[in-house]
Amino acid sequence: MKLLSGCVRPLIGAAVAWSPNNPGGSSPKVGSPAGLALRRVVLALIAAPLRLVDAVLTFVALSFAASVLWVIAYMCQVGYLDRDAMTISLSLACPLITIASYVTPAPMVMQAVRRMRAQNLPLAVFKSQAICNVLGISYGLQIHNAAVLLTNMFGLACQITFLTGHHYIRTANQEWFWFSTKFAVMLNSSIYFFARVLPINLLGQAITIFNIILYSSPLIQLGGALRRRDSSSFPLGMTSMSVANNAAWTVYALLIEDIVVLLPSILGYELSFFQVLVILWCRGLLPFDLSYLLIFYGNHNRDGGGSEVEEDTEQQLQMDEDTDSVTEEVEMQSSDSIKSLL
């Protein structure tokens, strides 16, 4: 992408050096309507194909990430890898990775409690994860699977702990009776309804929907992260564990052919992997640009949200304006000096 933008910069310079009012080839004044209009047209023509290339590269990266998991499962099915050994290994590894992902936010929550500041706590993630754990507990009860049941019970305990820390900060250690009563009623009634009343096919659909909500909830902050090129709203530890967790469960679901486990896992894997791409882009480690996504948030050139070509050209425009202003000041001072001598 840098090579491509480097190739088009000379085209921009050549284009803006000519205008219908300036056939001789000398650059028109930056402040003139002809110069500004021509430069905006050239920028629009250059930016459109570059954004399309960036979108295609993003799709290719996400597709490649998913295809890796399908290849691993296919190698097990055709005999290149031992399917039984892989299934047993993942049946042990998946709960362990999931448990590790549940514990990952603990240092962040502890730091927030010490500082009594809850601004950086991903509250939407904690609430969404708690709902997913309730659904997972209900699913484990319906299919009589101890691994699914115990894993989600541990996860729910972690989310309750994190939400308790947030409540402690927000209310300054008050209103505990209402907080505990609300949680007890909501959790117990939800588990009873989903485990005893709701059919398992509808429960599977609910698990898929709320897992999509869970792994897409950090993307609420995507617009601000792209404008500021700041990935602080996407904790690297939590995101990396989410990628590993969903990758393991996706391969495991493909091996045991469980669509209820497969759908939320593969969707969570793709959403988490996209967050990794955002982190890499914010740190300047991604070979393509993601700022084209700002068109979905409106006013995409605000706060440095344009592409590299646009940013460099705007900087050049500013430099030209500064040069013109300095030249005009020097000419005025010289004219005043000549008048005083006369």
Side-chain angles (χ1 to χ4, degrees), residues 199-309:
I200 192 169
N201 60 330
L202 296 180
L203 178 60
Q205 296 175 12
I207 291 174
T208 301
I209 293 173
F210 279 100
N211 270 273
I212 294 174
I213 296 173
L214 167 64
Y215 293 110
S216 61
S217 56
L219 298 180
I220 298 174
Q221 307 296 330
L222 180 61
L226 293 175
R227 290 191 184 99
R228 298 187 302 270
R229 199 151 190 163
D230 179 17
S231 62
S232 59
S233 56
F234 300 94
L236 181 60
M238 291 178 59
T239 306
S240 301
M241 288 301 302
S242 179
V243 172
N245 181 39
N246 285 286
W249 279 106
T250 299
V251 177
Y252 181 64
L254 289 171
L255 294 178
I256 65 174
E257 300 179 357
D258 190 333
I259 191 66
V260 175
V261 179
L262 176 61
L263 284 180
S265 298
I266 187 63
L267 292 174
Y269 173 73
E270 288 289 270
L271 291 170
S272 301
F273 186 80
F274 176 73
Q275 295 173 40
V276 172
L277 295 181
V278 174
I279 294 174
L280 294 176
W281 178 78
C282 290
R283 299 185 179 186
L285 301 177
L286 200 66
F288 52 90
D289 194 7
L290 295 181
S291 62
Y292 71 92
L293 295 171
L294 284 169
I295 61 177
F296 300 107
Y297 295 89
N299 198 11
H300 57 274
N301 284 331
R302 187 179 63 218
D303 298 335
S307 64
E308 183 181 353
V309 176

Side-chain angles (χ1 to χ4, degrees), residues 1-9 229 284-288 308-309:
M1 184 55 61
K2 292 183 178 179
L3 178 62
L4 187 59
S5 61
C7 294
V8 300
R9 285 195 190 97
R229 199 151 190 163
L285 301 177
L286 200 66
F288 52 90
E308 183 181 353
V309 176

